[in-house]
Amino acid sequence: MNRPALALSLASALVAAGLIATFEPVNGFAETASGGALKGAADFASITDARQRSKAIFAEASRVLTHPRCINCHPATRSPTQGEDMHPHVPLMIAADSSMGPAGLACSTCHGAENRAIVGSRLKSIPGNAHWQLAPESMAWQGLTVREICEQVKDTERNGNRSHADLSKHMGEDHLVGWAWHPGEGRSAPPGSQPEFAALITAWVDTGAECPD
């Protein structure tokens, strides 16, 4: 059985067993429904103090970073969460030392290179991306304040050894980051777009990469 067929087979089995009822979208979110507009750097031009402007810009960018599409894969433990309510992944997955999933059941077993619709189920679709994986343990965001996430994002020892310039490029060009705005049927998307988000990160860096209080 090929990978897409295996993923659909597993999803069908979970539906039959009644194990994925909690996947039903919360609050009526539709496919790639927008989380609203995202302010641009120009919207913060009236803040004359560069440090305060930098803090305000990151606070706006955090609307993306703390959205379920992002934070589900940046869990507090090595177990991803899912859905708008960030419930435990079904079936339970414990990534342990790997970001690619546990031994014998890699993330790619079910998550293919693209989203796959599931007709007639509450799941709606299986999310997919060629680089699908859990964030490294050092990048766990769930349970952190916006300031704590900010400090973690710019800490090279915890952000994959990325410089500030690397952060702007990662946020703007990484294909898995971009997936968040194209999450498949049954999931909401974060506010704005990937280019708008990346522009905020660049503006934050350019104003000193200050973290909100």
Side-chain angles (χ1 to χ4, degrees):
M1 182 180 293
N2 60 34
R3 184 171 294 166
L6 177 60
L8 290 174
S9 177
L10 177 58
S12 297
L14 291 173
V15 170
L19 294 177
I20 60 173
T22 53
F23 279 94
E24 186 171 11
V26 176
N27 298 328
F29 284 114
E31 180 179 6
T32 64
S34 173
L38 196 63
K39 292 181 179 179
D43 293 307
F44 300 92
S46 61
I47 304 177
T48 56
D49 185 301
R51 294 183 70 251
Q52 295 303 318
R53 185 162 67 253
S54 188
K55 293 177 181 181
I57 289 171
F58 188 86
E60 180 67 10
S62 74
R63 294 177 57 209
V64 173
L65 297 172
T66 59
H67 189 277
R69 295 295 76 73
C70 298
I71 210 165
N72 275 335
C73 287
H74 288 260
T77 68
R78 297 310 293 155
S79 294
T81 54
Q82 58 192 174
E84 308 302 324
D85 58 355
M86 296 181 290
H87 60 267
H89 190 285
V90 180
L92 179 65
M93 302 293 289
I94 301 175
D97 297 327
S98 171
S99 293
M100 306 302 292
L105 191 61
C107 300
S108 58
T109 302
C110 294
H111 297 281
E114 58 186 20
N115 302 324
R116 293 189 63 83
I118 300 180
V119 178
S121 81
R122 293 180 177 182
L123 180 58
K124 304 297 184 185
S125 64
I126 299 174
N129 182 274
H131 307 290
W132 195 269
Q133 60 183 300
L134 194 66
E137 187 173 6
S138 64
M139 298 181 193
W141 294 347
Q142 287 189 21
L144 300 185
T145 64
V146 169
R147 177 179 179 81
E148 290 170 334
I149 293 174
C150 176
E151 291 173 341
Q152 187 180 51
V153 164
K154 69 177 186 176
D155 183 353
T156 55
E157 294 186 0
R158 295 184 290 167
N159 72 1
N161 197 33
R162 293 183 175 93
S163 67
H164 286 170
D166 291 336
L167 284 175
S168 295
K169 182 176 181 180
H170 172 67
M171 300 300 189
E173 299 180 12
D174 186 88
H175 197 259
L176 185 54
V177 172
W179 170 89
W181 286 273
H182 307 279
E185 186 177 359
R187 297 174 191 86
S188 68
S193 66
Q194 185 175 20
E196 291 172 333
F197 172 58
L200 276 179
I201 294 297
T202 298
W204 168 65
V205 167
D206 290 344
T207 50
E210 298 288 339
C211 292
D213 298 324

